[in-house]
Each structure stands twice: as structure tokens, then as C-alpha cells.
Amino acid sequence: MAAAHPQLDVDVSAKVIRRAAATRAGKVALLSGGGSGHEPLHGGFVGTGMLDAACPGEIFTSPVPDQMVAAAAAVDQGAGVVFVVKNYTGDVLNFRMAAELAADEGIEVRTVLVDDDVAVQDSTWTAGRRGTGATVFVEKIAGALAEQGADLAEVAEVGRRVNELSRSFAVALTACTTPANGKPGFDLPEDEIEVGVGIHGEPGRRREKLGTAREIVAGALEAILAEPVLTDTDQVIIMVNGLGGTPLIELYVLFNEVVAQLADRGIAVARNLVGNYVTSLDMAGASITVCRADARLLSLWDAPVNTPALRWGI
Amino acid sequence: MDIALAKDWIQAIAAAMDTHKDRLTQLDSAIGDADHGANMNRGFSAALAAQESFEEDEVGRLLVKIGTTLISSVGGASGPLYGTAFRAAGRALTTAEPDPAEFLAALRTGLDAVQSLGAAAPGDKTLVDAFLPALDAFEDALRTGGDLADACARAARAAEEGARATIPLQARKGRASYLGPRSIGHQDPGATSTALIFGALATAAAAR
């Protein structure tokens, strides 16, 4: 990754990826991280307009607090650090410990917890909704606001708002194969799909016969738009995300369905991302993330960004 | 419990994690994300190195050191949970060579810290389901006149039974919770690694 992107500084011993160029004094820093295997998340979103640093863990395993504290100390410009944390028990616990240790070192930390995955039902009986695709939206929009000079509370607040306005749903056609396990995490017959998968190859909540793109999108949008917060929306940012083993041509087919079915509901797609942004190693499948966006969020979305995986306006 | 036994314990855990890493990963593959064996083996390899270079003679300080090492090297949920258990137990020890009752009280403090951090109750299909019966069996053994080796042996058996008893449970914490009813029928990997830790304690204590 360091070889491909000279604008990144990759500290192999501390396991921290950060911007090679220093940011200005007084800028709020954004820090995220999580297990590896989801590339380009998170290191691919380090750069102007998004993250200041990312902490990659082992494959699908949260990084450890030492990494996060080292990263926070390296990127804090005196204005504090926002941790963008996906809601998985390991990420939550390690980032919580890191926030306490950073505070001991005089670094002010705010945490934005991302929990956008509507596939998780009965969330009071589970670890809660998982953080998936909305992480990209939170990092982009909060990153833009930090670049514009907002203070720590404002940057964290917009991050939380983006999370609140975002929902995701994923389906898989195959399981992924982690190196530790060496074989697919679950067996899936050729003609079935796993509905509501997470981003770690953990099986979904149920299996269905493989349907058409139209049926898959209809099911996903029904789950996503079921929540009141997303019903009075007339414009949205959409991400159709490949999980690692799905060709772009299939993602475009899905995206086309998303646009058509949202239009039927009177919802306009104002901006979009179609591609591999939050992957699960070699898993075939896709996730759909919807974020209701007002003019302010769209303007922050359009702000310049220069990272390995997102780049526009520069 | 003296420093030599505590060091033997850490060494025995590291050996057990190395031997059983594939089994833990297989269990985790069924209901989690297939990395528990690799993570625990990495953590206790680091703990073994920390133990070997540890030159003080207080059991409590060794356990705190092991906990800190686990937090710094395991990652995932297991790192903070096991790390916190060892750190809290270590900090609760006020004597350099605790007697069995003091050692048990420290382990209870470790379990309390884990439950408070992970917000897990018995029956949630987590490591608590092995940890709690192990301590209860340890306490029963002491109450009926058993020595440290007896208490450790009974704790290990109870932890193993507790781990097996997670098979019919539905997970309510951690990544397995996302499976809902589909988590039923699989033994919890965290309860299994806890059983290995108590098994290692029994092995070390029996060898005295």
C-alpha cells in the first residue's frame, strides 16, 4: 500500500497509516480503523478531506489501543481527534480503551459510532446494528467539515448525524475465506443467497433462493426505508458496494435497479458511489447504503477529497 | 499461589493455545469470523515472552503485566476482555503470595471487570459461561477442605462443562449474536478458550 500511494506514510511498526504531509495547526483530526480485509476501508480513505490516520488490525480483527493512541498522538493538531468506530464489540472495546489512554495524554477525543446495518433486527438482544457502508459517508462528510475548520464538537456532531441518516443492507453469493481458517466461512449452494450478511463473512440472518437484481434490490430497499427517519426523504446519496468478489458490471445492474425503484418512491439519487469500498476479502455480494442528504450534507459531500480510494474536486 | 506457579500457568496457557488454535478457529468459524485461535495464540505468545522477562516476585504484578500484554497484542473483543480480566485480578492481589482464598477473590474481581466491560450475563453464550462455574467450583473445593491443586482441578472441569453447556444457547453478545437462533448448536469459542485457561491452571497446579 505504501508503495502504491506515496502520499501516505505507513508506519509498519506502530501499524498506523497516515497522511505524509502535515496538516495545519488547529485542524480537528479524524481517525478510524478496524480489521484488515475490508480494503480500501480504512487506509484507502486517508488523505485531504477524509481521514488523518487509520489503524489496520489483523484480518477481520480490531486493532489494539496502542495503535490508536500512537495514531492519535501523531495526528492531533491541538484541536482534538474524532474516532470513527464501527459497531463491533472488538472495535468498540479497543477504541474505548484508546480514548481513555489518549485522554490521559491530554488528547481530547470524541467518538462517532457507526451502526447502519438494518439486517440486524432485535438489536436489544444482540450487540446492536453493525457498522458497515455508512462509515464511508461519515468519514467523507465529517472529514470535509474538519478540513473547513469546524471544531471538535461540530465535526463529531455531523458524523453522528450522517450515521443517523444512513442505512445499509447486504447480500452474499459466496462466503469469504479468511487466511486463519483457510476455507469459506459457510457453504452456500449455487442457487441460494445469504441475506443480511455482515462484512466479516459472518452468515446473514437467513437464506433465500437467488432472485433477480430487481428482487434483491426491492428486498434491501424495503428493509432500509422501513425506518421513519428515512421515509420523508426526496434526495439521497447512494453507495452500491461490492464485497470483493463481484464484478463492477453486476454492481451497475444493481445500481440501475436502485435508481429506478427509488424513483418509483419519489426519491432522487443526488450523488452515488458504485464500486468496491468496504469489502470482505473475496466474498461475492453487494451492499446498498442510503443516506438522506440535505443541501449542507451534499455540499460537504462535494467538497474536495484526495485519498487513494476517493478523489474529486482537486 | 506463588510467582513460580503463576509463571507455570502462563506457560501452560500459551502451550494450550498453540495446541488448540485450530479448534478455537473452527468453533469461531461456525458462529463468528474464524480468527479466535489465531488471536489467542498471538496474545499468549506475547504473554509468554512477557512472563519470561518478568523479574519481580509479586503474582499480582505479573498478572497485570500479562493483561496489559494481551490488550496490546490480541485485538478484537478477546484482547480487551481477557486483558481486563488479568489486569483486574492482578490489581486485586495485595499480597505477594496470595493464599487460595485470596487468589479466588482476585479471580472474582477479574470476572466482574469482564462482565462490566462486555455487559454479558450468564447464559449469553460468552466466556462468562465458563468463567463463572469455574470460580464457583473453586470456591466449593476450598469450602470442603480442598487444597489449591484440588480447587484448580475442579475449576477446570467446571469450565469445560460450562463451555459445553453453551452449545444449546442462543448468543446475545458479540458477533455470534447476529446469527440469532442460528447460533444454537455451536459451542462458544470464548467459553472454550476460558476452559483452556482454567485447564492450564489445573495442569500447572498439579505439577507442584
Side-chain angles (χ1 to χ4, degrees):
Chain A
M1 193 163 181
H5 304 291
Q7 74 272 36
L8 299 181
D9 179 277
V10 180
D11 183 336
V12 175
S13 64
K15 295 184 185 164
V16 174
I17 300 170
R18 63 188 179 106
R19 304 187 196 181
T23 56
R24 61 180 166 73
K27 179 192 170 298
V28 170
L30 261 76
L31 169 64
S32 192
S36 294
H38 305 303
E39 289 68 26
L41 194 78
H42 292 274
F45 299 119
V46 173
T48 308
M50 280 185 88
L51 297 176
D52 292 79
C55 300
E58 300 289 327
I59 296 282
F60 289 177
T61 300
S62 153
V64 300
D66 305 32
Q67 281 170 263
M68 300 158 186
V69 174
V75 299
D76 181 28
Q77 294 290 356
V81 183
V82 172
F83 286 179
V84 180
V85 182
K86 299 188 301 306
N87 190 32
Y88 290 95
T89 308
D91 290 301
V92 171
L93 294 182
N94 284 284
F95 272 102
R96 189 197 299 169
M97 291 191 163
E100 286 166 14
L101 295 169
D104 291 346
E105 295 191 14
I107 301 169
E108 208 182 337
V109 172
R110 297 285 166 89
T111 296
V112 176
L113 190 68
V114 183
D115 62 347
D116 54 315
D117 185 359
V118 294
V120 179
Q121 298 156 324
D122 307 324
S123 55
T124 47
W125 295 102
T126 66
R129 286 200 312 238
R130 295 173 288 224
T132 59
T135 314
V136 178
F137 292 178
V138 169
E139 291 174 1
K140 171 66 188 79
I141 289 172
L145 194 64
E147 216 69 61
Q148 292 174 4
D151 68 24
L152 184 62
E154 292 169 329
V155 173
E157 176 54 34
V158 85
R160 292 186 188 123
R161 178 152 174 76
V162 170
N163 176 59
E164 204 176 290
L165 295 174
S166 299
R167 296 290 185 274
S168 295
F169 194 87
V171 297
L173 278 66
T174 66
C176 65
T177 302
T178 61
N181 194 21
K183 58 180 206 262
F186 52 88
D187 295 318
L188 194 56
E190 190 82 342
D191 62 339
E192 291 185 11
I193 59 171
E194 192 78 36
V195 178
V197 289
I199 57 170
H200 300 92
E202 64 266 50
R205 291 192 63 93
R206 64 173 190 276
R207 278 184 186 179
E208 289 179 356
K209 285 286 173 196
L210 174 60
T212 62
R214 179 163 304 168
E215 288 160 352
I216 291 171
V217 168
L221 288 182
E222 191 178 338
I224 286 169
L225 298 174
E227 307 215 6
V229 69
L230 292 170
T231 50
D232 54 7
T233 302
D234 59 6
Q235 60 180 5
V236 291
I237 305 171
I238 293 291
M239 179 167 75
V240 172
N241 170 60
L243 296 177
T246 293
L248 199 48
I249 189 171
E250 294 183 14
L251 300 182
Y252 284 130
V253 170
L254 287 175
F255 179 65
N256 189 49
E257 274 302 324
V258 170
V259 173
Q261 294 186 27
L262 285 176
D264 290 345
R265 295 168 182 255
I267 300 169
V269 176
R271 304 288 187 276
N272 73 77
L273 291 178
V274 181
N276 293 305
Y277 295 98
V278 184
T279 59
S280 305
L281 292 170
D282 56 344
M283 190 191 276
S287 63
I288 297 170
T289 303
V290 176
C291 175
R292 172 187 167 189
D294 58 18
R296 175 170 179 253
L297 295 188
L298 285 181
S299 138
L300 289 167
W301 180 260
D302 290 339
V305 59
N306 186 10
T307 71
L310 274 196
R311 191 165 189 264
W312 61 67
I314 55 160
Chain B
M1 170 62 70
D2 58 24
I3 190 73
L5 177 55
K7 287 188 160 194
D8 287 350
W9 179 27
I10 303 307
Q11 193 170 7
I13 299 172
M17 294 302 165
D18 187 50
T19 304
H20 294 280
K21 57 183 186 288
D22 291 341
R23 178 170 159 246
L24 291 177
T25 290
Q26 288 313 312
L27 292 173
D28 195 27
S29 151
I31 57 172
D33 59 352
D35 61 3
H36 190 56
N39 292 346
M40 294 301 281
N41 193 39
R42 183 175 59 247
F44 278 97
S45 297
L48 182 61
Q51 177 263 103
E52 282 166 353
S53 63
F54 190 81
E55 286 174 355
E56 300 168 57
D57 61 357
E58 288 184 27
V59 173
R61 293 179 64 87
L62 173 66
L63 298 186
V64 169
K65 173 78 181 165
I66 297 304
T68 305
T69 304
L70 294 175
I71 291 170
S72 299
S73 60
V74 178
S78 309
L81 291 171
Y82 281 118
T84 295
F86 276 90
R87 281 176 56 84
R91 278 203 306 267
L93 287 174
T94 50
T95 53
E97 290 194 12
D99 66 26
E102 286 167 336
F103 182 60
L104 170 66
L107 292 177
R108 289 241 184 248
T109 304
L111 174 60
D112 288 346
V114 167
Q115 288 197 250
S116 141
L117 183 64
D124 283 349
K125 198 172 181 113
T126 71
L127 66 87
V128 172
D129 293 317
F131 206 146
L132 181 60
L135 298 192
D136 289 346
F138 195 111
E139 189 169 342
D140 275 351
L142 294 186
R143 200 167 33 225
T144 54
D147 64 7
L148 182 65
D150 297 330
C152 293
R154 286 182 57 181
R157 279 198 300 276
E160 190 62 49
E161 282 162 21
R164 272 199 303 276
T166 63
I167 293 173
L169 299 177
Q170 175 169 335
R172 288 198 287 260
K173 294 289 167 189
R175 225 167 266 171
S177 68
Y178 299 125
L179 284 174
R182 286 165 69 182
S183 63
I184 293 169
H186 302 280
Q187 183 165 324
D188 182 61
T192 309
S193 56
T194 292
L196 291 175
I197 289 170
F198 280 98
L201 180 62
T203 305
R208 297 306 293 277

